[in-house]
């Protein structure tokens, strides 16, 4: 199955609205991924009577690592599909999407290999090390991957705000188009 390369899949009166709808769907998907990871971690304490901390704590860190990695890949896919969609839009429609484009420019996400490299993230590593020393050494990878998860969540919040701003600007135009379609159906 071929993956979507851009957000313009069907014919629409307002292609900027189709792009916003696609990005909104992908932002929600990213938030769902992160919430699934957080929910799974919250449920990990139910296994405490059965499994020792030496088993549970690495699994918690692995869960954070997987969900934050999936969210990062989703973020990069959104950026790639937005750029591919912008090539197909005229300049008026492109300006409508400027707040969303600004988010990707102002908050670029580095590669996953850079995020997981402790030498390139000394501040996060030092905070994680202090937490690991204070609580338990097994908590160091949990704190480190939780920091990556928090960065992913913050980026999705900023992107979601930009999507909401664009949707609010486009909503009067979308309502008029919807009313015209409803009249033609009657």
């Amino acid at each position: 199955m071929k993956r979507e390369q851009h957000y313009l899949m069907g014919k629409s009166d307002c292609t900027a609205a189709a792009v916003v709808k696609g990005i909104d769907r992908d932002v929600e998907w990213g938030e769902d991924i992160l919430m699934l990871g957080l929910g799974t971690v919250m449920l990990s304490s139910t296994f405490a009577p059965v499994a020792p901390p030496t088993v549970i704590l690495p699994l918690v860190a692995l869960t954070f690592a997987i969900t934050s990695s999936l969210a990062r890949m989703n973020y990069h896919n959104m950026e790639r599909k937005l750029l591919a969609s912008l090539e197909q839009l005229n300049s008026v429609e492109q300006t409508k999407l400027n707040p969303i484009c600004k988010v990707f420019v102002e908050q670029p996400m580095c590669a996953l290999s850079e995020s997981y490299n402790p030498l390139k993230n000394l501040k996060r590593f030092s905070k994680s090390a202090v937490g690991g020393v204070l609580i338990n050494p097994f908590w160091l990878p949990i704190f480190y991957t939780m920091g990556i998860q928090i960065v992913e969540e913050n980026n999705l919040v900023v992107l979601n705000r930009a999507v909401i701003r664009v949707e609010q600007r486009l909503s009067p135009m979308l309502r008029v188009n919807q009313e015209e379609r409803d009249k033609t159906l009657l």
Side-chain angles (χ1 to χ4, degrees):
M1 185 175 161
K2 187 177 178 185
R3 296 183 63 147
E4 294 179 23
Q5 299 300 317
H6 53 77
Y7 289 114
L8 303 171
M9 289 298 146
K11 289 198 169 193
S12 175
D13 295 342
C14 179
T15 53
V19 172
V20 171
K21 183 178 178 184
I23 290 175
D24 189 33
R25 181 187 64 236
D26 285 348
V27 168
E28 288 176 7
W29 174 246
E31 290 172 343
D32 290 345
I33 291 169
L34 293 174
M35 286 300 113
L36 175 67
L38 185 61
T40 304
V41 167
M42 297 299 279
L43 288 173
S44 67
S45 63
T46 58
F47 297 109
V50 181
T54 56
V55 172
I56 292 177
L57 295 178
L59 289 177
V60 167
L62 183 64
T63 301
F64 276 140
I66 290 170
T67 56
S68 62
S69 297
L70 289 173
R72 176 75 55 93
M73 288 186 286
N74 183 50
Y75 190 85
H76 286 300
N77 285 336
M78 283 188 286
E79 183 177 19
R80 184 183 42 75
K81 290 194 297 188
L82 176 64
L83 293 175
S85 299
L86 285 175
E87 293 173 357
Q88 299 178 21
L89 298 177
N90 62 32
S91 61
V92 174
E93 291 174 331
Q94 287 178 358
T95 57
K96 293 176 186 176
L97 299 173
N98 273 344
I100 297 172
C101 295
K102 274 186 184 177
V103 171
F104 288 110
V105 171
E106 292 173 357
Q107 296 190 322
M109 296 294 291
C110 58
L112 283 169
S113 59
E114 213 172 294
S115 292
Y116 286 106
N117 186 348
L119 299 176
K120 293 188 178 184
N121 299 292
L122 293 175
K123 184 177 178 183
R124 183 183 304 140
F125 181 74
S126 62
K127 287 180 180 180
S128 302
V130 168
V133 167
L134 292 175
I135 297 175
N136 184 338
F138 283 111
W139 279 80
L140 187 141
I142 293 172
F143 288 139
Y144 191 82
T145 54
M146 188 176 9
I148 296 170
Q149 177 114 351
I150 290 169
V151 168
E152 299 300 327
E153 183 67 33
N154 289 339
N155 285 333
L156 287 177
V157 166
V158 172
L159 186 58
N160 199 20
R161 287 180 185 154
V163 168
I164 290 170
R165 279 196 311 267
V166 173
E167 281 178 339
Q168 288 173 344
R169 269 195 236 151
L170 293 176
S171 67
M173 185 173 58
L174 294 175
R175 270 190 249 124
V176 169
N177 289 341
Q178 185 63 37
E179 289 171 3
E180 289 174 5
R181 284 189 208 128
D182 291 343
K183 286 178 185 177
T184 58
L185 290 175
L186 295 175

